Amino acid sequence: MTMDKKFYITTPLYYVNAEPHIGHSYTTIAADILARRMRRSLGAGRVWFLTGTDEHGQKIQRAAAQAGIEPQAFADGIARKFKDLWADLGISYDDFIRTTEERHKQFVRRVLEIVYQKGDIYQSTYEGWYCSPCESFWTEEQAVDKLCPDCRRPVEHIAEQNFFFRLSKYQDWLISYIEEHPDFVRPVIRRNEVLSFLRQNTLTDLCISRPKERLSWGIPLPFSPGHVTYVWFDALINYISAVGEFDADGVYRSKWWPADVQLMAKDILRQHAIYWPIMLRALGIEPPHSLLVHGWWLINDAKMSKSRGNVVAPLDMSKKYGVDVYRYFLVREVPFGLDGNFSEEAIVKRFNGDLANDLGNLVFRTLTMVEKYYNGNVPAVDIGAYRFDERGAEIVRLIGGIDGLMEQSLSPAQDANFSAALEQLWGLINMANKYVEETKPWNLAKESKDEQLRAFMRLLVEVIRTAGSLIEPFMPGTARSIKEQLGRDTIAKGAPLFPRIETDGKKRTEKK
């Protein structure tokens, strides 16, 4: 049974073969922003935010062996690092699922039984090329020069008995579904990419098992204990295993499914846009409403990787510049679907410009003036009834409409454009700063224009209150600080929110 006006959002399950990096944090921060935003609209009880870790497969088994420990102990250690990082970054997930949990393993076995009994899983001999790092099979045509087409590393030739899932059976259905549901894969460039692949290629059935003698670290097939489940077939199921169950007749029941938004990077699009909806179709379950796909963070136009030595540690950046600064930078710097170049110079530029000069300056100068002119008591003025000049009236209108503008930008139909939503909010902040320079409230005070000064100061306070409220999903700590400094009608001014960083990146100076 579904719930009216609910919101279910997921990140991928992050693979525990390595520690979390900036790409993991980017996806998860984006999901956190949308979850927090929807809790404001629907209430906490109507939003469910799922993340977690993917812990089976050959790469984990090998990494554990190299570390000299059991796979479960290895997975426990990396999963803990993900949880610790999410706590440090203020991620407000509702559930953290691990594929080694019994609730998930039992659910996967039930899925396998249902699909097997339906005839969509069959046994056959596989002979071809296998990429161990990607844990993927490839045909002769795909493995050009005996290299994996995804990671470009050598593949090995194997022949073995395995079980296959009938992807090919559902290809025509999937093409029609994507054509009829334009918001299913966003942005449109990724939708077109999936459709082009499906129209130009015949899907081969998916090998969903590995013999235990080659790979023991996985969920055993209920109908063939000598095989374990392919890691991707196992992991994708988490999105439904975490929020529902099958009844005795094999009908899936959940108050949260279908997911409203499933976030991921572009390198796992094919698994989510092809494997996943077909798996759901075979189970008689509705696909998610929207797959939102983002680009990569690059260093000097190169993808981050351990082999290149250019991986950015999220915790290092958040400790150096602050959690909220890191969160803001990631979603403000680049439109969500595109690749972005990461640099500390870009962080400092955003810090000094958007945060110190714009938001921080507006808060500090406004509260300083409220202290100076009104002993910290915010003037009681109805800004909706006061007759402001053209600029002031425009600010009043924007205060009333900015929430709706941001809501539109953050919708899946607009590709969850975090950057555009923040740009709209900063339009209000910058307009208020410009209004200060134009109006020169210190002159109003000198000229004893008390009514105009009172209305002007109240307007600035309402701009800050609005900005503080709307920025909460993006920068929860900053929003909390603004709320504490504003109080209800009596302010409690603190230190500047964002003391400027000098361009050498070593010393900060407070803007007086």
Side-chain angles (χ1 to χ4, degrees):
M1 186 173 69
T2 59
M3 180 193 301
D4 291 337
K5 294 184 178 179
K6 59 83 183 172
F7 185 75
Y8 176 33
I9 185 168
T10 72
T11 72
L13 291 194
Y14 302 118
Y15 207 37
V16 297
N17 63 318
E19 296 186 10
H21 55 66
I22 185 175
H24 301 128
S25 67
Y26 182 49
T27 314
T28 311
I29 287 168
D32 184 62
I33 290 168
L34 293 176
R36 287 174 179 268
R37 172 82 191 183
M38 293 307 297
R39 290 188 192 109
R40 287 165 42 89
S41 302
L42 302 178
R46 293 184 176 272
V47 174
W48 200 254
F49 171 16
L50 175 71
T51 189
T53 44
D54 177 7
E55 303 181 8
H56 290 125
Q58 196 164 53
K59 281 188 280 190
I60 308 305
Q61 184 171 290
R62 288 180 176 178
Q66 289 172 359
I69 57 177
E70 291 298 314
Q72 186 65 64
F74 181 86
D76 289 346
I78 301 295
R80 191 176 307 114
K81 291 183 179 182
F82 274 96
K83 282 190 171 184
D84 290 346
L85 178 60
W86 298 159
D88 290 333
L89 296 181
I91 305 301
S92 61
Y93 60 81
D94 295 287
D95 190 6
F96 187 105
I97 190 167
R98 300 176 57 188
T99 57
T100 53
E101 292 178 43
E102 194 59 36
R103 59 167 171 160
H104 176 74
K105 291 191 289 186
Q106 289 182 3
F107 192 96
V108 170
R109 294 187 190 104
R110 184 73 175 112
V111 166
L112 289 163
E113 287 172 347
I114 292 170
V115 180
Y116 182 68
Q117 290 168 6
K118 188 176 180 179
D120 281 343
I121 292 176
Y122 63 93
Q123 189 172 21
S124 183
T125 300
Y126 176 82
E127 183 171 0
W129 299 98
Y130 182 70
C131 175
S132 294
C134 292
E135 302 190 29
S136 297
F137 288 105
W138 303 104
T139 64
E140 188 78 36
E141 293 76 18
Q142 292 170 322
V144 178
D145 297 326
K146 296 182 176 55
L147 296 176
C148 172
D150 277 356
C151 71
R152 307 304 299 165
R153 283 175 280 197
V155 292
E156 57 184 314
H157 190 270
I158 62 173
E160 59 191 23
Q161 283 285 307
N162 270 314
F163 288 83
F164 293 78
F165 172 57
R166 298 185 192 275
L167 277 184
S168 57
K169 173 181 173 181
Y170 296 94
Q171 182 165 358
D172 291 342
W173 165 80
L174 182 58
I175 291 172
S176 297
Y177 185 86
I178 296 174
E179 289 175 340
E180 294 165 7
H181 296 81
D183 289 339
F184 176 57
V185 180
R186 303 289 303 185
V188 68
I189 187 175
R190 302 302 170 203
R191 176 177 182 268
N192 292 341
E193 179 184 319
V194 174
L195 280 174
S196 176
F197 176 84
L198 288 169
R199 289 166 178 160
Q200 295 176 19
N201 297 273
T202 299
L203 290 181
T204 56
D205 290 342
L206 179 66
C207 182
I208 62 161
S209 70
R210 303 291 185 265
K212 262 192 175 179
E213 61 264 22
R214 184 162 64 82
L215 172 63
S216 60
W217 184 238
I219 300 173
L221 301 186
F223 42 81
S224 181
H227 289 83
V228 299
T229 309
Y230 170 48
V231 64
W232 267 111
F233 196 90
D234 161 10
L236 288 166
I237 292 169
N238 91 90
Y239 302 127
I240 54 174
S241 72
V243 293
E245 59 186 15
F246 290 103
D247 64 18
D249 297 321
V251 177
Y252 181 68
R253 308 288 185 184
S254 172
K255 71 175 185 178
W256 294 108
W257 192 263
D260 295 271
V261 174
Q262 296 203 257
L263 290 167
M264 69 212 62
K266 63 183 182 181
D267 53 343
I268 54 173
L269 171 60
R270 190 170 299 178
Q271 290 89 342
H272 283 82
I274 297 178
Y275 299 174
W276 181 223
I278 289 178
M279 289 166 62
L280 290 168
R281 181 71 173 178
L283 290 164
I285 300 173
E286 183 180 350
H289 291 324
S290 185
L291 305 177
L292 274 178
V293 187
H294 64 75
W296 292 328
W297 278 100
L298 311 173
I299 298 288
N300 297 323
D301 294 315
K303 186 184 178 185
M304 294 184 194
S305 72
K306 289 179 67 178
S307 61
R308 290 192 180 102
N310 63 354
V311 175
V312 175
L315 193 56
D316 291 347
M317 293 298 101
S318 66
K319 284 182 176 179
K320 186 171 184 178
Y321 297 102
V323 169
D324 278 9
V325 175
Y326 179 70
R327 287 173 62 110
Y328 176 83
F329 172 78
L330 288 184
V331 295
R332 179 68 176 89
E333 185 71 4
V334 180
F336 188 67
L338 304 181
D339 292 344
N341 265 303
F342 185 91
S343 72
E344 291 195 55
E345 292 80 4
I347 294 180
V348 172
K349 185 177 179 180
R350 285 288 179 191
F351 187 105
N352 285 342
D354 298 3
L355 300 178
N357 288 355
D358 298 341
L359 176 60
N361 186 34
L362 179 64
V363 172
F364 192 73
R365 76 199 306 190
T366 297
L367 300 192
T368 297
M369 288 188 286
V370 172
E371 277 188 337
K372 181 176 181 180
Y373 300 136
Y374 301 107
N375 296 319
N377 297 307
V378 180
V381 177
D382 182 357
I383 62 170
Y386 186 82
R387 293 177 63 86
F388 286 98
D389 58 17
E390 185 177 350
R391 174 81 66 187
E394 187 178 359
I395 292 174
V396 172
R397 286 193 298 271
L398 195 52
I399 287 173
I402 189 67
D403 193 8
L405 293 174
M406 293 180 69
E407 180 78 20
Q408 185 176 3
S409 292
L410 292 172
S411 73
Q414 297 299 319
D415 303 337
N417 196 333
F418 301 95
S419 184
L422 287 168
E423 188 175 350
Q424 289 161 338
L425 180 56
W426 251 252
L428 173 62
I429 292 167
N430 291 334
M431 193 181 297
N433 275 322
K434 188 172 183 179
Y435 198 34
V436 173
E437 302 302 328
E438 291 176 346
T439 305
K440 297 179 175 58
W442 44 90
N443 287 342
L444 296 180
K446 289 178 184 177
E447 296 166 11
S448 299
K449 294 181 178 179
D450 186 56
E451 182 182 4
Q452 189 176 348
L453 180 62
R454 287 167 56 83
F456 180 83
M457 295 310 305
R458 182 74 197 199
L459 180 61
L460 291 186
V461 168
E462 291 308 314
V463 168
I464 295 169
R465 199 181 303 279
T466 299
S469 174
L470 295 180
I471 207 174
E472 188 276 335
F474 302 87
M475 307 174 74
T478 300
R480 185 164 53 250
S481 179
I482 290 174
K483 184 176 181 180
E484 290 169 353
Q485 291 190 51
L486 281 180
R488 291 192 176 183
D489 295 308
T490 305
I491 65 143
K493 189 185 75 172
L497 293 172
F498 304 101
R500 283 182 58 83
I501 301 175
E502 290 192 354
T503 54
D504 63 7
K506 296 177 182 177
K507 181 181 177 183
R508 296 185 180 184
T509 56
E510 292 187 0
K511 185 178 181 69
K512 300 297 184 182

